[in-house]
């Protein structure tokens, strides 16, 4: 019976599946208590995390029996992949399991922000106001172009949903072959072309040395006036101060930000976004719904059980 540590929230049915054959230690606070996690992991064969747990070289060194790291999601920037590879530790993302949830978030946010103040005026009506003229200045989908930066599983799912909703779609991805069938209904463009052509820019790329501050003041200035920016990928890809500056000046038509350079956000980050117009902020939940959590957790449990079975023989 192997020991499995789960350091962040996981669907209970998947936890029960693991616990049926293994010793499961579930503690959602471990992601914020690295010293406690290090103390627990010495005899563990598997670790299951989301994005907040930092799977560092030091943590891996403290886990001589570790065989697998299950990722409840797809981003791997919180896991030292080099250290895992050196130890032959399997890193197991739940690829594709949250694509639909992220895509729906993007389309919902785009629709809300295109309509401008109409979805942000509840308080005015509750106060007895009737701002009909102010709320009649929204924009329609027809004729709008959604630009996708990073055209993997989530980006492609978002583009398909956008096409079905009525958007034209363009995308930029340096690593996807021009011959890939994904380009059938989405036009392949350069990064610069996407910034100039898109009415909505949505980010679906990993955070690395090349993408850190990928969207900063020069890139925001290159976007056409009124462009909407949506980031459900990783904090750090968008320069937060430059973003708020572009919203305050009115150059950007709106933004939906689900990820931040510091998570959970600190007071300084929170203050950056105070009184910024046409802004939706959410706490890294674009890919988390009841349904996606069940899919992600089930896939991760199956992945962990498979590796533990393979390495036991």
């Amino acid at each position: 019976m192997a020991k499995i540590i789960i350091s962040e929230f996981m669907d209970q049915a998947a936890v029960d599946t693991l616990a049926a054959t293994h010793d499961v230690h579930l503690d959602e606070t471990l992601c914020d208590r690295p010293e406690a996690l290090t103390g627990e992991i010495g005899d563990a064969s598997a670790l299951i995390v989301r994005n907040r747990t930092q799977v560092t070289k030091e943590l891996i060194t403290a886990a001589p029996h570790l065989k697998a790291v299950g990722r409840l999601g797809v981003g791997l920037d919180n896991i030292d992949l080099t250290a895992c590879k050196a130890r032959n530790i399997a890193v197991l993302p739940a690829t594709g399991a949250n694509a639909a949830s992220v895509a729906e978030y993007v389309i919902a946010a785009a629709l809300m922000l295109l309509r401008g103040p109409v979805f942000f005026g509840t308080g005015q009506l509750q106060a007895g106001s009737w701002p009909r003229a102010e709320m009649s200045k929204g924009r329609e989908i027809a004729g709008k172009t959604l630009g996708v930066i990073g055209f993997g599983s989530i980006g492609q799912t978002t583009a398909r949903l956008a096409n079905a909703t009525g958007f034209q779609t363009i995308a930029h991805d340096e690593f996807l072959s021009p011959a890939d069938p994904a380009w059938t209904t989405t036009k392949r463009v350069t990064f610069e072309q996407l910034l100039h052509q898109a009415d909505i820019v949505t980010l679906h790329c990993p955070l690395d040395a090349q993408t850190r501050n990928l969207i900063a003041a020069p890139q925001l200035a290159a976007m056409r006036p009124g462009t909407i920016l949506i980031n459900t990928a990783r904090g750090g890809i968008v320069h937060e101060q430059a973003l708020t500056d572009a919203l305050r000046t009115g150059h950007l038509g709106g933004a939906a930000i689900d990820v931040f350079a510091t998570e959970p956000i600190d007071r300084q980050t929170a203050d950056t976004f105070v009184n910024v117009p046409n802004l939706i902020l959410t706490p890294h939940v674009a890919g988390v719904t009841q349904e996606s959590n069940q899919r992600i957790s089930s896939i991760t449990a199956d992945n962990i059980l498979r590796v533990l079975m393979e390495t036991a023989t």
Side-chain angles (χ1 to χ4, degrees):
M1 180 178 287
K3 178 179 177 180
I4 301 171
I5 295 177
I6 306 171
S7 62
E8 299 181 60
F9 68 91
M10 188 176 187
D11 184 66
Q12 188 60 47
V15 175
D16 293 342
T17 296
L18 293 170
T21 53
H22 294 288
D23 179 18
V24 174
H25 289 238
L26 170 62
D27 184 347
E28 297 177 13
T29 72
L30 287 175
C31 62
D32 296 319
R33 298 191 298 128
E35 292 182 1
L37 178 56
T38 299
E40 284 277 356
I41 206 168
D43 57 348
S45 297
L47 171 65
I48 296 176
V49 305
R50 287 187 181 267
N51 64 292
R52 288 176 60 184
T53 306
Q54 299 303 306
V55 185
T56 62
K57 181 179 180 179
E58 291 73 23
L59 182 65
I60 293 166
T61 300
H65 305 288
L66 195 65
K67 299 175 181 177
V69 177
R71 170 67 169 91
L72 294 161
V74 293
L76 301 176
D77 52 288
N78 60 313
I79 301 172
D80 190 326
L81 299 178
T82 301
C84 287
K85 184 177 181 180
R87 280 271 309 279
N88 200 30
I89 297 169
V91 178
L92 308 165
T95 304
N98 66 348
S101 300
V102 175
E104 290 181 5
Y105 175 104
V106 170
I107 300 305
L111 294 176
M112 290 179 67
L113 290 166
L114 277 172
R115 288 301 296 267
V118 70
F119 289 112
F120 299 93
T122 298
Q124 291 173 268
L125 269 75
Q126 289 172 333
S129 181
W130 191 250
R132 194 164 187 267
E134 176 188 341
M135 293 188 182
S136 300
K137 298 177 182 179
R139 294 176 284 171
E140 297 180 349
I141 298 168
K144 301 298 185 299
T145 297
L146 183 137
V148 183
I149 298 177
F151 208 46
S153 173
I154 294 176
Q156 291 175 30
T157 302
T158 300
R160 285 194 295 271
L161 186 56
N163 288 145
T165 309
F167 288 104
Q168 301 175 45
T169 54
I170 59 177
H172 171 71
D173 192 309
E174 296 179 356
F175 304 101
L176 189 64
S177 168
D180 193 286
W183 299 115
T184 302
T185 56
T186 295
K187 183 180 178 182
R188 184 173 179 263
V189 296
T190 67
F191 179 65
E192 291 74 18
Q193 288 171 330
L194 188 145
L195 295 181
H196 288 296
Q197 296 175 17
D199 298 289
I200 299 96
V201 174
T202 179
L203 303 174
H204 301 288
C205 51
L207 176 65
D208 55 31
Q210 286 69 45
T211 61
R212 185 172 295 279
N213 290 327
L214 179 69
I215 305 296
Q219 292 75 33
L220 292 167
M223 296 178 189
R224 62 176 68 181
T227 296
I228 289 166
L229 178 65
I230 302 174
N231 186 13
T232 58
R234 280 293 180 271
I237 297 175
V238 175
H239 190 287
E240 292 169 351
Q241 186 62 60
L243 169 67
T244 57
D245 289 345
L247 287 166
R248 290 182 193 279
T249 64
H251 178 68
L252 278 188
I257 305 299
D258 184 56
V259 289
F260 303 86
T262 300
E263 294 184 3
I265 61 173
D266 55 21
R267 186 67 259 167
Q268 181 179 354
T269 302
D271 289 344
T272 300
F273 293 105
V274 170
N275 296 324
V276 175
N278 302 321
L279 177 64
I280 297 170
L281 300 178
T282 53
H284 206 142
V285 293
V288 185
T289 59
Q290 294 179 31
E291 295 86 351
S292 73
N293 187 38
Q294 291 170 359
R295 290 192 299 269
I296 290 168
S297 299
S298 177
I299 289 172
T300 301
D302 290 346
N303 285 341
I304 291 291
L305 291 173
R306 172 178 52 79
V307 170
L308 290 180
M309 182 177 295
E310 291 172 351
T311 55
T313 57

